[in-house]
């Protein structure tokens, strides 16, 4: 072993050894020691490899490649066992020293280049998509049946009329939510809950789909009609769901009951629902004041390249520069020195320096060519990326195109009223000339969460406004902010509102003044408000 390490060190000094080399494994169930072991290993490994259609090949726990069984070949040759794999940078052949099969994966100790390069190869069988979908469907159906049984046990002599899953995103895929109808005496009760691990960001989607389903099921149901809706949620997400239910109109809240389910799916617990007035009882903490309004020298130089297209979004850690809403550069101060990193989302960000000037110029030229209102190719990634941010950047330059009653400045984009990581930023926060705050939520495609997102943003701003945080933070200097609650502007192109927008908007309490703004479909050429109407009046 020491002699082998010394040889490797000498060859590395001469540049003959790749940095991929690692020490050999200390344990192997099967070592290749002679002709008998070679023949057995060849037959056994080939049998297992061709028993699975697809494999994941992992090299030294780092490089991962997807392979079909036809792209793998194992054979004995000249007293050696050779494993060939296509797709790992082409075709590579490895000499197998030892191997192990654990019913979950293959583990190989292999070498090539006469022992100069030694690696650990892992071949992990991939489950076919059809089998994986069937397993997921069965699991979710089992949870749906379990939820139906738990709900039925809460009512004396209740029966399960039907229990199924919501439609999936694509045809043939299982849905995320249980759809259950219970029969109890002379009434029906609709029960719904998530059968997958819930996320906080999915609360709006869950409540929106539940309200849509409840409304449609009530319309088509025969007597006795569906009169109640039970919402079942994981214990960790009871609070955000309760806050959103409190924003619904009173007659709808009276037929809704909230239940929490434990992690073991063994018990349902009734949750007390807060009213809209209850939301104001606790003062919010950690109000987040907006960042400084000055611009760094590096950001000013970049802005000068295309001042009509580039804007700056500030944060506590620096500045983000966007070209028509698409982030492409970030300015951060490190050790009292301004550094610029560039690159669009999904690509590796690089530090701007002299050696990368050509890459920087190439990125700017691509943005100018493709991210404009009349591009050469409308299917180009730079044109299609971040459309809502593009719309936001246009309104930041002239918010009066949406509503002449709004003040041009100050206008806050991607505003976070608190330091908590959970809440998403508000698209735009503005002030009207009459002193009313306006929460603006933008969409450019159909989104069923549009209404509830706007209502939740209203709650957050109204709470801070009620306790005087916005006034003390001096967000709008030289302007008087009225004590009235804020307005909600829901903005989308004329044909891009969700088909259930009206029913969801009518579910919101009339105490929340919510307005729908239809803008022109070709908004990239300039935003025009085509129609304005009260959404939940």
């Amino acid at each position: 072993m020491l002699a082998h390490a010394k040889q490797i060190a000498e060859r590395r000094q001469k540049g003959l050894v790749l940095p991929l080399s690692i020490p050999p494994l200390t344990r192997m169930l099967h070592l290749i020691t002679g002709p008998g072991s070679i023949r057995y290993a060849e037959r056994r490994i080939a049998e297992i490899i061709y028993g699975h259609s697809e494999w994941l090949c992992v090299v030294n726990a780092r490089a991962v490649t997807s392979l079909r069984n036809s792209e793998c070949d194992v054979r004995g040759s000249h007293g050696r066992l050779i494993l060939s794999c296509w797709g790992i940078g082409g075709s590579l052949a490895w000499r197998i020293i030892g191997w192990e099969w654990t019913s979950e994966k293959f583990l190989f100790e292999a070498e090539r280049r006469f022992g100069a390069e030694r690696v650990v190869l892992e071949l992990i069988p991939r489950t076919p998509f059809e089998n994986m979908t069937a397993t997921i469907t069965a699991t979710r159906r089992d949870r749906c049946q379990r939820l139906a049984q738990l709900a039925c046990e809460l009512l004396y002599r209740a029966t399960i009329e039907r229990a199924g899953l919501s439609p999936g995103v694509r045809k043939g895929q299982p849905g995320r939510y249980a759809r259950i109808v219970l029969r109890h005496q002379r009434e029906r009760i609709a029960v719904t809950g998530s059968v997958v691990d819930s996320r906080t960001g999915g609360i709006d989607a869950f409540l929106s789909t539940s309200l849509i389903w409840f409304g449609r099921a009530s319309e088509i149901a025969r007597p006795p009609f569906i009169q109640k809706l039970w919402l079942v949620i994981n214990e960790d997400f009871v609070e955000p769901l309760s806050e959103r239910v409190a924003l619904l109109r009173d007659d709808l809240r009276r037929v809704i009951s909230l239940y929490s389910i434990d992690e073991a799916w063994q018990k349902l617990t009734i949750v007390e629902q807060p009213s809209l007035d209850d939301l104001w009882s606790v003062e919010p903490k950690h109000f987040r004041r907006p960042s400084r309004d000055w611009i760094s020298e590096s950001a000013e130089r970049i802005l000068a390249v295309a001042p009509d297209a580039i804007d700056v979004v500030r944060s506590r850690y620096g500045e983000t520069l966007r070209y028509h809403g698409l982030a492409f550069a970030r300015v951060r101060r490190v050790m009292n020195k301004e550094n610029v990193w560039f690159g669009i989302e999904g690509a590796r960000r690089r530090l701007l320096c002299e050696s990368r000037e050509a890459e920087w110029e190439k990125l700017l030229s691509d943005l100018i060519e493709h991210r404009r209102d009349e591009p050469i190719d409308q299917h180009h990634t730079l044109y299609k990326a971040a459309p809502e941010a593009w719309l936001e950047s246009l309104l930041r330059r002239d918010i009066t195109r949406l509503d002449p009653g709004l003040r041009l400045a100050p206008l806050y984009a991607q505003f976070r009223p608190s330091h908590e990581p959970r809440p998403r930023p508000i698209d735009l926060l503005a002030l009207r000339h009459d002193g009313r705050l306006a929460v603006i939520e933008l969409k450019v495609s159909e989104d069923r969460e549009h209404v509830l997102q706007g209502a939740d943003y209203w709650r957050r701003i109204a709470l801070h406004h009620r306790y005087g945080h916005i006034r003390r933070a001096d967000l709008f200097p030289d302007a008087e902010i009225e004590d009235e609650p804020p307005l909600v502007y829901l903005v989308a192109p004329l044909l891009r509102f969700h088909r259930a927008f009206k029913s969801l908007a009518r579910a919101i309490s009339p105490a929340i003044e919510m307005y729908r703004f239809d803008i022109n479909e070709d908004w990239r050429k300039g935003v025009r408000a085509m129609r304005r109407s009260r959404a939940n009046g």
Side-chain angles (χ1 to χ4, degrees):
M1 180 70 183
L2 294 176
H4 178 75
K6 184 176 180 181
Q7 293 176 0
I8 295 295
E10 294 175 352
R11 292 172 65 86
R12 183 178 287 111
Q13 292 179 356
K14 299 178 182 180
L16 299 177
V17 178
L18 299 177
L20 192 62
S21 301
I22 63 169
L25 294 176
T26 58
R27 181 182 66 89
M28 278 292 175
L29 293 183
H30 304 285
L31 296 177
I32 308 300
T33 56
S37 61
I38 291 178
R39 287 192 296 270
Y40 170 77
E42 179 183 1
R43 183 175 64 255
R44 180 61 177 153
I45 294 173
E47 177 184 347
I48 298 176
I49 285 180
Y50 283 97
H52 298 271
S53 58
E54 293 186 8
W55 295 81
L56 286 178
C57 182
V58 184
V59 182
N60 287 347
R62 290 196 301 267
V64 181
T65 305
S66 178
L67 300 171
R68 297 180 179 178
N69 56 11
S70 59
E71 296 173 335
C72 302
D73 179 57
V74 58
R75 54 186 173 82
S77 176
H78 303 289
R80 296 178 175 85
L81 183 64
I82 306 299
L83 175 67
S84 301
C85 296
W86 295 84
I88 312 176
S91 176
L92 294 182
W94 304 89
R95 178 190 175 189
I96 303 303
I97 301 173
W99 65 280
E100 180 182 35
W101 170 248
T102 63
S103 76
E104 296 180 355
K105 66 179 179 179
F106 266 123
L107 191 62
F108 296 103
E109 182 183 356
E111 67 177 16
R112 64 181 190 138
R113 301 179 185 273
F114 301 100
E117 184 178 351
R118 181 166 291 193
V119 298
V120 173
L121 295 177
E122 295 177 79
L123 285 181
I124 305 171
R126 295 186 63 179
T127 303
F129 179 77
E130 296 79 7
N131 296 350
M132 182 172 59
T133 301
T135 302
I136 294 174
T137 302
T139 302
R140 294 184 181 181
R141 285 177 177 170
D142 290 343
R143 282 195 170 187
C144 178
Q145 292 295 330
R146 179 59 182 163
L147 180 58
Q149 293 173 3
L150 291 175
C152 193
E153 292 172 359
L154 296 179
L155 299 172
Y156 179 68
R157 289 187 176 180
T159 58
I160 302 173
E161 189 169 289
R162 65 175 182 268
L165 297 175
S166 61
V169 177
R170 295 181 178 87
K171 185 177 180 180
Q173 292 185 356
R176 299 173 55 89
Y177 308 113
R179 296 285 186 257
I180 303 165
V181 177
L182 301 181
R183 184 75 174 265
H184 182 240
Q185 298 178 357
R186 297 184 179 181
E187 67 178 5
R188 284 190 176 104
I189 301 173
V191 182
T192 181
S194 176
V195 292
V196 299
D197 294 332
S198 302
R199 298 174 300 173
T200 305
I203 295 299
D204 292 324
F206 169 61
L207 184 54
S208 298
T209 55
S210 299
L211 294 175
I212 294 172
W213 171 68
F214 177 63
R216 292 175 179 171
S218 301
E219 291 176 358
I220 64 176
R222 298 178 180 179
F225 298 105
I226 299 177
Q227 300 173 342
K228 296 180 181 179
L229 173 63
W230 289 7
L231 301 176
V232 182
I233 197 69
N234 186 281
E235 294 174 341
D236 297 334
F237 307 120
V238 167
E239 182 180 352
L241 180 60
S242 301
E243 293 171 346
R244 285 158 175 79
V245 172
L247 304 176
L248 304 179
R249 67 176 192 264
D250 292 339
D251 60 329
L252 184 56
R253 288 179 55 251
R254 282 193 289 267
V255 302
I256 293 179
S257 299
L258 301 184
Y259 289 86
S260 66
I261 189 169
D262 60 338
E263 293 184 1
W265 282 65
Q266 297 295 325
K267 183 181 179 181
L268 292 180
T269 306
I270 187 71
V271 177
E272 183 179 356
Q273 295 185 44
S275 64
L276 190 57
D277 293 334
D278 294 334
L279 296 181
W280 317 132
S281 60
V282 180
E283 181 178 359
K285 300 178 181 180
H286 309 299
F287 180 74
R288 182 180 184 272
R289 287 177 169 81
S291 307
R292 63 189 190 280
D293 57 358
W294 59 273
I295 300 178
S296 63
E297 295 181 0
S298 300
E300 285 184 346
R301 289 195 298 269
I302 298 174
L303 278 172
V305 175
D308 295 334
I310 299 177
D311 61 358
V312 180
V313 176
R314 301 172 186 84
S315 67
R316 290 183 298 168
Y317 305 104
E319 299 150 310
T320 299
L321 290 99
R322 311 183 308 174
Y323 194 97
H324 285 317
L326 180 62
F328 71 98
R330 287 166 175 77
V331 180
R332 300 291 186 265
R333 180 174 288 275
V334 180
M335 302 294 291
N336 294 324
K337 179 183 178 182
E338 292 180 1
N339 294 304
V340 178
W341 280 267
F342 66 96
I344 62 174
E345 185 176 356
R348 183 176 61 88
R349 296 188 179 97
R350 292 144 290 176
L351 179 64
L352 181 58
C353 55
E354 293 184 2
S355 62
R356 293 196 173 102
E357 283 290 343
E359 299 178 42
W360 168 253
E361 295 294 338
K362 178 66 166 55
L363 176 60
L364 289 177
S365 63
D366 288 343
L367 289 170
I368 294 173
E369 179 180 358
H370 297 289
R371 196 165 180 81
R372 55 181 180 175
D373 56 356
E374 293 183 354
I376 298 176
D377 181 10
Q378 292 188 357
H379 300 287
H380 197 277
T381 302
L382 294 179
Y383 179 79
K384 296 169 62 177
E388 289 178 11
W390 192 337
L391 175 59
E392 174 206 305
S393 68
L394 295 177
L395 291 176
R396 286 186 68 189
R397 298 182 182 278
D398 188 1
I399 194 62
T400 61
R401 289 181 174 271
L402 184 66
D403 182 4
L406 294 173
R407 296 168 62 98
L408 279 171
L411 179 67
Y412 297 96
Q414 298 300 303
F415 181 72
R416 296 179 184 270
S418 66
H419 292 294
E420 299 176 9
R422 187 184 70 187
R424 290 172 293 190
I426 299 169
D427 287 342
L428 292 171
L429 178 64
L431 183 68
R432 288 177 53 86
H433 290 292
D434 59 6
R436 297 282 300 275
L437 291 167
V439 176
I440 304 173
E441 175 64 13
L442 309 174
K443 299 293 180 185
V444 297
S445 59
E446 293 188 11
D447 194 331
R448 64 190 172 195
E449 304 174 31
H450 197 178
V451 173
L452 284 175
Q453 282 184 7
D456 184 55
Y457 296 157
W458 174 90
R459 177 190 62 82
R460 291 157 57 186
I461 293 299
L463 189 59
H464 286 289
H465 178 46
R466 180 177 288 261
Y467 283 92
H469 295 170
I470 293 179
R471 184 177 291 107
R472 288 195 296 271
D474 200 23
L475 295 185
F476 300 94
D478 303 326
E480 185 67 24
I481 303 178
E482 295 293 328
D483 290 333
E484 297 291 328
L487 305 172
V488 180
Y489 288 4
L490 302 178
V491 183
L494 186 63
L495 303 177
R496 296 296 183 269
F497 282 92
H498 195 272
R499 58 184 179 275
F501 178 89
K502 291 183 179 180
S503 61
L504 289 173
R506 286 195 296 266
I508 302 298
S509 170
I512 304 174
E513 288 191 56
M514 186 173 288
Y515 293 89
R516 167 176 170 167
F517 283 78
D518 298 73
I519 62 174
N520 52 308
E521 289 288 334
D522 57 344
W523 51 267
R524 288 181 176 86
K525 298 180 180 180
V527 179
R528 301 188 308 276
M530 310 296 292
R531 183 173 60 189
R532 167 182 169 172
S533 59
R534 179 70 186 267
N536 63 330

